[in-house]
Protein backbone atom coordinates (compact mmCIF):
# COMPACT_ATOMS: atom_id res chain seq x y z
CA UNK A 1 0.00 0.00 0.00
CA UNK A 2 1.28 3.45 -0.94
CA UNK A 3 0.12 6.56 0.86
CA UNK A 4 0.00 9.88 -0.98
CA UNK A 5 -0.41 13.12 0.94
CA UNK A 6 -1.25 16.27 -0.99
CA UNK A 7 -0.86 19.82 0.24
CA UNK A 8 -0.83 23.35 -1.10
CA UNK A 9 -4.40 23.89 -2.20
CA UNK A 10 -6.41 26.94 -1.28
CA UNK A 11 -8.24 30.01 -2.47
CA UNK A 12 -6.58 32.32 -4.97
CA UNK A 13 -7.68 35.13 -7.24
CA UNK A 14 -7.72 34.90 -11.01
CA UNK A 15 -4.19 35.25 -12.31
CA UNK A 16 -2.63 34.01 -9.11
CA UNK A 17 -0.38 31.06 -8.43
CA UNK A 18 -0.30 28.00 -6.22
CA UNK A 19 2.07 25.09 -5.80
CA UNK A 20 0.71 21.68 -4.95
CA UNK A 21 2.88 19.01 -3.37
CA UNK A 22 2.35 15.29 -3.10
CA UNK A 23 4.54 13.25 -0.81
CA UNK A 24 4.58 9.50 -1.36
CA UNK A 25 5.33 7.01 1.38
CA UNK A 26 6.59 4.49 -1.15
CA UNK A 27 10.02 3.55 0.03
CA UNK A 28 13.03 3.62 -2.25
CA UNK A 29 11.25 2.88 -5.52
CA UNK A 30 9.58 6.27 -6.02
CA UNK A 31 11.91 7.21 -8.86
CA UNK A 32 10.61 4.43 -11.12
CA UNK A 33 6.96 5.33 -10.82
CA UNK A 34 4.87 7.51 -13.09
CA UNK A 35 3.34 10.36 -11.13
CA UNK A 36 0.41 12.48 -12.19
CA UNK A 37 -2.03 15.14 -11.12
CA UNK A 38 -5.71 14.86 -11.92
CA UNK A 39 -8.57 17.18 -11.09
CA UNK A 40 -12.29 16.91 -10.70
CA UNK A 41 -14.64 19.86 -10.83
CA UNK A 42 -18.21 19.64 -9.49
CA UNK A 43 -20.42 17.72 -11.87
CA UNK A 44 -17.53 16.77 -14.13
CA UNK A 45 -15.39 13.69 -14.65
CA UNK A 46 -11.92 13.44 -13.23
CA UNK A 47 -9.39 14.54 -15.83
CA UNK A 48 -5.64 14.31 -16.27
CA UNK A 49 -3.84 17.60 -15.65
CA UNK A 50 -0.19 16.58 -15.94
CA UNK A 51 1.92 13.45 -15.87
CA UNK A 52 5.64 12.79 -15.43
CA UNK A 53 7.21 9.41 -16.09
CA UNK A 54 10.29 7.88 -14.50
CA UNK A 55 12.23 9.14 -17.50
CA UNK A 56 10.81 12.63 -16.92
CA UNK A 57 8.65 12.55 -20.02
CA UNK A 58 5.91 15.08 -19.32
CA UNK A 59 2.38 15.34 -20.62
CA UNK A 60 -0.02 18.22 -20.00
CA UNK A 61 -3.68 18.71 -20.67
CA UNK A 62 -4.16 21.28 -23.41
CA UNK A 63 -6.07 23.51 -21.00
CA UNK A 64 -3.04 23.97 -18.72
CA UNK A 65 -0.14 24.02 -21.17
CA UNK A 66 2.07 27.04 -20.63
CA UNK A 67 0.53 27.73 -17.21
CA UNK A 68 1.22 24.62 -15.12
CA UNK A 69 4.51 22.83 -14.51
CA UNK A 70 4.88 19.35 -13.08
CA UNK A 71 8.15 18.28 -11.50
CA UNK A 72 9.47 15.63 -9.17
CA UNK A 73 12.11 15.34 -6.51
CA UNK A 74 12.98 11.68 -6.20
CA UNK A 75 15.17 12.29 -3.17
CA UNK A 76 12.09 13.57 -1.34
CA UNK A 77 9.58 11.15 -2.88
CA UNK A 78 7.59 14.21 -3.88
CA UNK A 79 5.88 15.47 -7.00
CA UNK A 80 4.88 19.09 -7.47
CA UNK A 81 2.43 21.02 -9.58
CA UNK A 82 3.24 24.69 -10.01
CA UNK A 83 0.13 26.47 -11.21
CA UNK A 84 0.29 30.00 -12.58
CA UNK A 85 -2.13 32.34 -14.34
CA UNK A 86 -4.95 30.53 -12.63
CA UNK A 87 -8.46 30.83 -14.02
CA UNK A 88 -11.86 30.20 -12.42
CA UNK A 89 -12.20 27.11 -14.61
CA UNK A 90 -9.19 25.63 -12.81
CA UNK A 91 -11.33 25.34 -9.68
CA UNK A 92 -11.47 21.67 -8.70
CA UNK A 93 -10.24 19.06 -6.29
CA UNK A 94 -6.76 18.09 -7.37
CA UNK A 95 -5.62 14.51 -6.85
CA UNK A 96 -2.16 13.04 -6.89
CA UNK A 97 -1.76 9.69 -8.64
CA UNK A 98 1.03 7.11 -8.51
CA UNK A 99 1.30 4.38 -11.12
CA UNK A 100 3.61 1.50 -10.26
CA UNK A 101 2.69 -0.36 -13.48
CA UNK A 102 0.67 -2.91 -11.53
CA UNK A 103 -1.88 -0.65 -9.95
CA UNK A 104 -2.50 2.99 -9.19
CA UNK A 105 -2.86 4.89 -5.95
CA UNK A 106 -4.67 8.12 -5.21
CA UNK A 107 -4.24 10.83 -2.66
CA UNK A 108 -7.13 12.26 -0.71
CA UNK A 109 -7.33 15.38 -2.85
CA UNK A 110 -6.76 19.06 -2.20
CA UNK A 111 -9.22 21.81 -3.07
CA UNK A 112 -8.15 24.62 -5.39
CA UNK A 113 -10.58 27.51 -5.75
CA UNK A 114 -9.94 30.38 -8.13
CA UNK A 115 -12.13 33.42 -7.58
CA UNK A 116 -13.05 35.75 -10.40
Amino acid sequence: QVQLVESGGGLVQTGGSLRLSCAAASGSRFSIYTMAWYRQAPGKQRELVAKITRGSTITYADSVKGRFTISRDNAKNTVYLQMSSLKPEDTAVYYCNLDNYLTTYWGQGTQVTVSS
Side-chain angles (χ1 to χ4, degrees), residues 39-51:
R39 67 185 180 187
Q40 187 167 19
K44 295 187 177 181
Q45 290 187 332
R46 192 171 298 188
E47 63 175 358
L48 175 68
V49 176
K51 179 172 65 176

Side-chain angles (χ1 to χ4, degrees), residues 29-84:
R29 301 179 66 82
F30 177 83
S31 63
I32 72 169
Y33 302 146
T34 290
M35 300 298 300
W37 288 96
Y38 286 75
R39 67 185 180 187
Q40 187 167 19
K44 295 187 177 181
Q45 290 187 332
R46 192 171 298 188
E47 63 175 358
L48 175 68
V49 176
K51 179 172 65 176
I52 182 167
T53 69
R54 59 185 178 183
S56 295
T57 298
I58 292 173
T59 303
Y60 292 107
D62 287 343
S63 59
V64 307
K65 283 181 181 177
R67 300 188 298 122
F68 290 12
T69 302
I70 189 171
S71 61
R72 65 192 300 163
D73 185 336
N74 292 330
K76 296 182 179 180
N77 285 7
T78 300
V79 63
Y80 303 97
L81 186 68
Q82 178 67 47
M83 305 184 293
S84 302

Side-chain angles (χ1 to χ4, degrees), residues 1 15 19 47 61 74 91 98 103 113:
Q1 188 72 16
R19 188 176 82 155
E47 63 175 358
N74 292 330
T91 295
L98 182 152
T103 189
T113 302

